[in-house]
Amino acid sequence: MRFIPITAVLVIAVSLGVVGQTTSRNTLGEAEQAVRGLEHKYSDAVRRQDVATVSNLLADDFVATSSRGEIRDKAKEIDDLRPTPEFKMEAFKLDDINVRVFGGTAVVTGRSRLQVAFKGQSNSSLFRYTRVYVKRNGRWQVVAQQLTRLPQQ
């Protein structure tokens, strides 16, 4: 039997550990970038009142807690986004976005600025939000969301 010095074993073990960590970090980095991209896609779709795109981003079992404490499902979210003669989205922007990935789940926190016109009257709001994405069948979808209204500045 051939003897391998302990230092060689340690070098190999450390090298394998570093490679494993690098792969894991790269995978997490790719997932984070994918979710960040979806956040921008979501923001753009809401601003344009693009019901089809938002519907595709939200999972069928999506649930949200509104800034007023209401529990909302996907149908209610989509219905409230639909353009009407009385309701127009003027602006919707996200910032201060933080994405944390845990395997097939991503938790996003951020801030959103919303400006709408209802019956010709413009109104703006500022929110902190948490959105939870789950990767199912190879694609990320939003399964949960919570909004907290911030005081006007």
Side-chain angles (χ1 to χ4, degrees), residues 34-93:
V35 171
R36 281 184 183 279
L38 291 174
E39 281 291 284
H40 293 292
K41 185 175 182 178
Y42 176 84
S43 173
D44 183 57
V46 168
R47 184 183 46 74
R48 293 182 296 109
Q49 294 177 272
D50 180 350
V51 171
T53 298
V54 173
S55 181
N56 191 43
L57 290 169
L58 301 182
D60 288 340
D61 58 346
F62 170 83
V63 64
T65 303
S66 77
S67 62
R68 294 182 302 274
E70 300 169 321
I71 301 299
R72 302 166 55 86
D73 62 7
K74 179 178 179 174
K76 182 67 174 157
E77 285 290 306
I78 297 300
D79 193 47
D80 283 354
L81 184 61
R82 290 186 198 286
T84 68
E86 296 178 333
F87 174 71
K88 180 182 182 218
M89 186 73 59
E90 295 180 327
F92 184 70
K93 295 182 182 179

Side-chain angles (χ1 to χ4, degrees), residues 15-149:
S15 297
L16 289 174
V18 169
V19 169
Q21 288 176 355
T22 302
T23 302
S24 178
R25 286 187 186 131
N26 285 346
T27 302
L28 288 178
E30 290 169 11
E32 179 183 340
Q33 289 306 312
V35 171
R36 281 184 183 279
L38 291 174
E39 281 291 284
H40 293 292
K41 185 175 182 178
Y42 176 84
S43 173
D44 183 57
V46 168
R47 184 183 46 74
R48 293 182 296 109
Q49 294 177 272
D50 180 350
V51 171
T53 298
V54 173
S55 181
N56 191 43
L57 290 169
L58 301 182
D60 288 340
D61 58 346
F62 170 83
V63 64
T65 303
S66 77
S67 62
R68 294 182 302 274
E70 300 169 321
I71 301 299
R72 302 166 55 86
D73 62 7
K74 179 178 179 174
K76 182 67 174 157
E77 285 290 306
I78 297 300
D79 193 47
D80 283 354
L81 184 61
R82 290 186 198 286
T84 68
E86 296 178 333
F87 174 71
K88 180 182 182 218
M89 186 73 59
E90 295 180 327
F92 184 70
K93 295 182 182 179
L94 303 179
D95 65 13
D96 198 20
I97 297 170
N98 181 32
V99 179
R100 295 174 30 204
V101 178
F102 306 95
T105 303
V107 178
V108 179
T109 57
R111 187 173 52 189
S112 62
R113 298 173 190 272
L114 173 70
Q115 186 166 338
V116 299
F118 185 70
K119 295 184 178 181
Q121 294 221 327
S122 190
N123 183 24
S124 64
S125 301
L126 184 62
F127 301 92
R128 280 279 175 199
Y129 71 90
T130 300
R131 232 181 318 276
V132 179
Y133 287 79
V134 173
K135 191 169 189 179
R136 295 177 176 158
N137 300 319
R139 71 183 190 120
W140 292 96
Q141 284 191 301
V142 181
V143 295
Q145 174 176 278
Q146 189 276 326
L147 297 175
T148 301
R149 186 182 297 270

